[in-house]
Structure formats: structure tokens, C-alpha cells
Amino acid sequence: MGLSIFDLFKIGVGPSSSHTVGPMVAANRFLGELSDKQLLNQVASIKIDLFGALAMTGSGHATDTAVLLGLLGEQPDRLDPDQAPGLLKTIEDSGQIRLAGQYPVAFSQKHHLQFHFGQSLPAHPNGMTLTVKDHAGIVLHTNNYYSVGGGFVLDEQEAALDHATTDQASSAQPRTIPFPFDNARELLQRCEDNNLTIAEVVMANEHHLARYPDIEQQILRIWHVMEQCIERGCAEDGVLPGGLQVARRAHGLHQKLVNRKAHQKDQLELMDWVSLFALAVNEENAVGGRVVTAPTNGAAGVIPAVLAYYVRFVDSSKEQDIITFIATAAAIGMLYKKNASISAAEVGCQGEIGVACSMAAGALCAVLGGSPLQTENAAEIGMEHNLGLTCDPIGGLVQVPCIERNTMGAVKAINAARLALIGTGEHRVSLDDVIETMRQTGLDMQDKYKETATGGLAVNVVMC
């Protein structure tokens, strides 16, 4: 499997990895294709067509603005969220968009960007088409893109070849790695045969892939961005945008926790801290702040919350454990990406919160001293009790029930790790079994429960 840790953990912006980060990446890829064909200076018009879940919940997930920012040349890991409103206002006021920041093209969002409600492209529910024409109205270039979860993007050719592990950063060449694995059974076998932990297997592969010159420091950078997101979320107050009038809770909860007197403390206070960390991250995600897809934005708070719990409240924690935690979590995420999905539009929220919970559970078990078998058991427990979880965001916004759902996923992950640690690692249901069950459950799930905002809480709760 040629996936990298940095395919599962990407620095980006909220509110959605599949609806915001992915479309921005797709727009970047489209610019690259135009540049390769030397067509940028010939473009007279551009058309953006959004389909499936990208249309149904695109407005609430900032899909339209993400595509525009991507066409300007902005990239998810480099965009300053505070600068985005000004860039978008310039497009609106000037009536033109500067492709790659240089080539002006007349643009009106009303006429050149269309949401195709109730229509889908064939390869995936999150589909979009970008088309450019010259001054004579002749199509210069067009391509379909599919945002398949976690910021991964396939174009039409890649989707036809069913390259499930292809994304913009890893599609150039097939890559060999020293310890390949396509499922949990193979991963455990690699560990046993070579007397390695899951994290050591992944890190050996990562060094062979050589995505970054200093992999350990890049992993610590991922954690630093997560920490900053928690800190921002604790500091900010007010109401989240979008019309639901959802109040930010992390700030108030943080104040209560730091000011709580000794006689007010109870044995479950750690749960409040874990919930705080998850709330902080996902409230930042909801306002379009900088987050780490872990493995998605909708579930971005689970892994940081569990890792923050470990770093801050487990006395034996050390810096190397952060690397072990993230590498182990990535290994588990790779299995879901390879054998099922991390896209809520494809399998419901079990593919987001469920996968994040599974990743966090296995990672926590590993840094607490769990064997590879116990780690695999923890990951299995984390998903087993998220099977069937639907994605039904009210108003198409990544707010209700998404933000609270991250707190549930984080607490459940900690419990799963602890359950696994009291066992020997032997268990009846394997991680491979539960991944396949999740995939089948997602196939059986009705589309109205797959990020379309046409079922569940999205239609049973009145927006007012």
C-alpha cells in the first residue's frame, strides 16, 4: 500500500475535507492541467458544475468558495483563513477571477457556478466538472473530479481505473515499500515477522516513501497545528456562522474547567477536558479555521482530543509518543481508505467519526503499551460501536450533530483502548471483519443519510 501518513493527516481549512479541501485541491489540479497544456492565457470563460453531495450541502460546506479560492491558486495547507473573505469579495466586486492569481477571466457566480441538485456523476457522490472555453466559445479543456473523502481527489481517468489510493500528492508513480500491507491481517503479520510495532512498520515505509526530508519533524508539525487549533477554539467565543445560531461552547467550558475549585472536581472531570478539546477543534472547523484532516474535517476533533488527553494527563507521555500515536493512527486509517471509505457521502458518518474513533482508539492503545494485537482490537472496538452512524447535518452545516459527535467519538476511543488493554489481544471480531461490515453497511444505507441533508436530523429539526 503506497499511502503515506501525510495522506491521512493533511493541514487544511474548514469546514469539510470532502466538500472544502477536496474541491480546492481539484481546482488546483485543473489549473495544473491548463498550465501543462499552456492554455491559461487563452481562457475566456470558466464553468463550475457541482453534483451530488457537493451540490446538496455545498453551500453549507463552503464548496463554492473553496473552488473559487482554488482557481485563484490558493492551496488548503497554505491558505490564510483570515484572507479568504477579502479574496472572494474581490472576485464579486470586479466581476472576474484571476486564474492562478494571474489570468483575468470574466466571472459571475450566478452564471458560472451551478449546483445540480439531485444529479450525480457516475463515479462518486462528490462530483464536480470544470470547463474552460476560449473567446470563440470553443472548449479548451474540461475534466470531472471526485472528492472521495479526507481531501483525496480523483479525476475522471483515475476514477475509471479505480485507483482508490490516488490523490494529488501521490499519483505520480507506483511506489514500493519495505512492509506492504493491504489489510489488518497482513499488517499484524509484518509486525510479528519483523518484531516491529505498527508504528515502526509505518515509519519504515514512510522513510522509504520520503515525502518529507524530516518525517518526524513533519509529524510533530501536524500535532502543533492540532494544538494551535485547540488553543484558538478555547479562546474564541460567539455564535457560529451559517444561520443555525449555534453558540460556541469550548470557551465557556474552558473557563469553567480552569477556574473549578478543588471541592468541585469529580472523578469524571477528564471527560470534560476530552470533550473540550474536541469541541474546540470542531468549532474552529465550523468557522473555516485551520485544522488537520484526521482523517476528515467533520471528524477532525476526535484524534486531537485523544492525543491531547494523552499528552496532558498521562504522566509517562513523551514527544516520541506523539510520533508513535500519529503513525499508528495513520496505519489504521490506511486500512479504511483502502478497503472501505472515509467519505460520509459514500458510507455515512461511520466513515468519518467511526474511522477517527477507530484510529484514535488503536493509537492510544499503542502508546499506553498495547501490543499490535491489542492495538488492532482497540481499533476494531472503536468502529464496531459506530456501525450504521448516519451523516445528517442540519442545514448542510458541519455543526449539528457534527461538533458534539466528535466528543462522543473521542470518549468512545479512550474507552475502546482501555477495554483492549485489559485483554490479551485475542478477540472474536477482527478489524478486517468490522471494516468490511462498515463498507457493506454504507452500501445499504439510503442516500438521504449520506451527507445530503435530506434525512434524519436534517429534516426533523426546524431551522430557526
Side-chain angles (χ1 to χ4, degrees), residues 139-445:
V139 173
L140 293 171
H141 183 59
T142 186
N143 206 347
N144 294 337
Y145 300 94
Y146 300 95
S147 181
V148 296
F152 288 82
V153 172
L154 304 176
D155 67 14
E156 189 63 41
Q157 182 179 8
E158 291 161 351
L161 293 171
D162 195 27
H163 284 169
T165 63
T166 303
D167 77 342
Q168 76 282 1
S170 61
S171 61
Q173 295 289 337
R175 295 164 297 182
T176 58
I177 50 180
F179 302 115
F181 58 90
D182 285 325
N183 52 53
R185 178 183 56 80
E186 291 179 2
L187 174 58
L188 291 174
Q189 194 65 53
R190 298 288 180 267
C191 293
E192 182 178 350
D193 290 348
N194 298 279
N195 194 28
L196 297 172
T197 66
I198 289 174
E200 287 168 342
V201 166
V202 173
M203 290 300 289
N205 290 343
E206 198 67 46
H207 281 285
H208 192 81
L209 295 174
R211 287 276 291 273
Y212 292 95
D214 193 334
I215 293 162
E216 288 77 7
Q217 287 304 310
Q218 186 63 21
I219 291 174
L220 292 174
R221 179 179 176 238
I222 293 291
W223 167 235
H224 180 61
V225 173
M226 290 177 175
E227 277 194 307
Q228 287 182 319
C229 189
I230 290 172
E231 291 170 3
R232 286 196 310 272
C234 289
E236 297 295 327
D237 205 353
V239 175
L240 298 175
L244 287 182
Q245 297 300 304
V246 173
R248 295 179 72 139
R249 288 180 284 177
H251 176 76
L253 177 55
H254 182 254
Q255 293 301 306
K256 287 181 180 179
L257 288 173
V258 296
N259 293 315
R260 187 172 284 175
K261 306 299 183 183
H263 71 275
Q264 297 173 315
K265 297 180 184 294
D266 63 61
Q267 293 180 331
L268 296 181
E269 183 176 302
L270 280 182
M271 286 182 59
D272 294 337
W273 281 100
V274 173
S275 294
L276 167 66
F277 301 146
L279 288 172
V281 170
N282 284 87
E283 287 173 359
E284 276 298 296
N285 181 63
V287 300
R290 184 171 301 285
V291 299
V292 176
T293 61
T296 69
N297 281 28
V302 175
I303 289 172
V306 175
L307 183 49
Y309 153 78
Y310 177 76
V311 169
R312 300 186 187 196
F313 295 107
V314 176
D315 292 338
S316 61
S317 66
K318 51 189 181 298
E319 189 174 82
Q320 181 59 40
D321 293 340
I322 296 170
I323 296 169
T324 298
F325 187 105
I326 290 179
T328 304
I332 296 163
M334 291 173 192
L335 299 175
Y336 285 98
K337 177 65 182 158
K338 172 70 175 179
N339 298 306
S341 175
I342 58 172
S343 168
E346 215 170 10
V347 296
C349 199
Q350 59 175 356
E352 298 204 23
I353 292 293
V355 172
C357 178
S358 182
M359 292 167 68
L364 180 62
C365 181
V367 295
L368 289 174
S371 68
L373 275 173
Q374 288 172 313
T375 298
E376 183 255 2
N377 187 18
E380 179 274 321
I381 295 170
M383 173 54 77
E384 186 176 343
H385 305 290
N386 279 293
L387 289 173
L389 189 61
T390 60
C391 182
D392 50 353
I394 298 174
L397 298 165
V398 193
Q399 296 181 19
V400 182
C402 319
I403 295 173
E404 271 187 9
R405 194 169 280 175
N406 276 263
T407 71
M408 298 297 106
V411 170
K412 191 178 291 186
I414 294 171
N415 193 36
R418 294 177 68 86
L419 282 173
L421 283 167
I422 64 175
T424 63
E426 297 296 329
H427 51 287
R428 184 66 183 83
V429 179
S430 72
L431 179 55
D432 289 331
D433 290 337
V434 84
I435 291 174
E436 174 58 18
T437 302
M438 187 270 267
R439 187 189 70 83
Q440 293 177 6
T441 303
L443 290 174
D444 292 339
M445 191 180 290

Side-chain angles (χ1 to χ4, degrees), residues 30-47 99 103-105 129-143 145:
F30 189 69
L31 288 180
E33 292 163 17
L34 294 177
S35 178
D36 290 344
K37 295 184 176 184
Q38 299 183 334
L39 294 174
L40 278 167
N41 60 354
Q42 300 178 45
V43 176
S45 66
I46 185 164
K47 181 74 186 303
L99 300 182
Y103 303 92
V105 175
T129 302
L130 295 174
T131 306
V132 289
K133 297 180 180 180
D134 64 12
H135 290 279
I138 297 172
V139 173
L140 293 171
H141 183 59
T142 186
N143 206 347
Y145 300 94

Side-chain angles (χ1 to χ4, degrees), residues 440-455:
Q440 293 177 6
T441 303
L443 290 174
D444 292 339
M445 191 180 290
Q446 294 182 47
D447 286 345
K448 67 181 181 179
Y449 299 119
K450 297 181 183 180
E451 209 169 5
T452 59
T454 57

